[in-house]
Amino acid sequence: QSWRMGNSLMAGMGVPRQTRVDEIGSLECMAGTVNQSLPAKVDGCLAAPMPWLFALRCMVCGEPGAHGRDLCVACHATLPWQGPACLRCALPMPQPGTCGQCLQSPPPLGEAHAVFDYAFPLDRLLPRLKFHRDFAAGRVLVQCMTDRLPSLPRPDAVIPIPLHRARLRGRGYDQALELARPLARALGIPLLDRALRRRMRTRAQSRLDADARQRNLRDAFHVDARIALPAHVVLVDDVMTTGATLHAAARVLQRAGVQRVDAWVCARVA
């Protein structure tokens, strides 16, 4: 097999990953076991210098992986899986239901579901995908999402939250699409990755407070009128913080005729 050094960084610490020439740039084109090397650990330990000599390893602790994944049994069990949460905003609750805020001001999302709370090591794994082109970390997250989401109400289509084309050019990929594409394929749900567009290059949401996030996203999205939209869609994104991005996208889809918009995210910030 032909190999070359990719430009990805392991946890942003300057450790290059090895990727196959024909497997660069997408989670869905990678084999089920994508990390057939000893990676840098999430906590910052460096990888061994000859990774191709090592078996599948856990991306969190470096121990042997299990069940064909880049996680060991112990780290998989101790990931910050989300427990009971509000059905409308995915904030943790003592028991499933609808929180007081959502009862007073119902959001445009029919339901919102997060697989994880945004805590260690998710707060390291997600940025590895989002900012450092670490598709192996993304593959682990997709596998975990695929484990948790099949029991939820099945939508007619999956729509990833899009990046503006300028940000997409700079980053080279859309992390929401990299999660949504293999997720939709695994669950057998159509993917509408061109139905929703971001027409404005907004400021980074992570640098804004809740009110500024809402203002920042005013008129940010539009729907491609050439694409027929089904009655029930799910928006997919990596992280839900205040919900402003998902709410803005949901409202645009509803104005375009979608009857129900849900959200599936990898992690929820409490």
Side-chain angles (χ1 to χ4, degrees):
Q1 292 181 330
S2 176
W3 298 81
R4 69 168 174 151
M5 296 300 291
N7 294 325
S8 305
L9 298 181
M10 296 301 293
M13 293 176 286
V15 181
R17 303 182 63 247
Q18 292 227 339
T19 49
R20 280 180 50 186
V21 171
D22 61 345
E23 293 184 345
I24 293 176
S26 176
L27 295 178
E28 78 161 358
C29 67
M30 288 185 170
T33 299
V34 298
N35 184 28
Q36 298 181 18
S37 63
L38 181 62
K41 298 179 183 178
V42 175
D43 63 6
C45 295
L46 297 179
M50 300 180 67
W52 54 86
L53 296 179
F54 294 86
L56 180 71
R57 295 285 176 172
C58 176
M59 300 194 75
V60 178
C61 71
E63 293 298 314
H67 308 301
R69 297 189 178 185
D70 305 315
L71 285 173
C72 67
V73 173
C75 288
H76 183 273
T78 57
L79 288 174
W81 302 95
Q82 189 175 67
C86 175
L87 294 174
R88 302 297 298 274
C89 70
L91 279 175
M93 293 178 63
Q95 56 187 0
T98 303
C99 71
Q101 179 63 36
C102 289
L103 288 173
Q104 293 180 4
S105 301
L109 296 171
E111 293 185 7
H113 298 277
V115 175
F116 298 105
D117 295 324
Y118 194 72
F120 184 85
L122 261 292
D123 57 357
R124 310 294 178 86
L125 291 173
L126 269 173
R128 285 164 71 154
L129 167 65
K130 188 168 185 174
F131 300 114
H132 302 297
R133 303 179 62 88
D134 191 341
F135 297 111
R139 184 74 179 194
V140 169
L141 299 175
V142 167
Q143 291 167 337
C144 293
M145 294 176 75
T146 303
D147 288 342
R148 281 293 182 104
L149 297 174
S151 62
L152 299 177
R154 186 61 59 100
D156 301 314
V158 167
I159 298 178
I161 293 292
L163 289 177
H164 186 269
R165 59 182 178 274
R167 188 160 290 158
L168 181 61
R169 283 196 300 268
R171 187 172 295 173
Y173 62 98
D174 181 344
Q175 74 278 357
L177 177 58
E178 293 301 328
L179 294 174
R181 184 189 288 120
L183 179 64
R185 175 169 293 183
L187 299 181
I189 304 173
L191 176 72
L192 298 181
D193 60 325
R194 299 189 178 184
L196 187 66
R197 297 292 187 178
R198 195 182 288 247
R199 66 170 132 208
M200 296 174 56
R201 185 177 184 180
T202 55
R203 296 166 60 192
Q205 289 287 91
S206 59
R207 302 175 183 177
L208 305 175
D209 60 27
D211 292 337
R213 285 170 185 251
Q214 294 183 15
R215 294 192 300 270
N216 190 45
L217 290 165
R218 192 171 296 136
D219 299 322
F221 297 105
H222 74 99
V223 171
D224 189 333
R226 298 168 296 180
I227 297 178
L229 296 173
H232 180 196
V233 303
V234 157
L235 291 167
V236 171
D237 207 359
D238 54 342
V239 180
M240 183 177 184
T241 305
T242 65
T245 300
L246 290 163
H247 292 174
R251 292 188 182 98
V252 169
L253 289 167
Q254 289 166 345
R255 287 197 293 268
V258 177
Q259 298 176 20
R260 173 173 171 173
V261 182
D262 294 341
W264 293 348
V265 298
C266 185
R268 179 61 156 105
V269 177

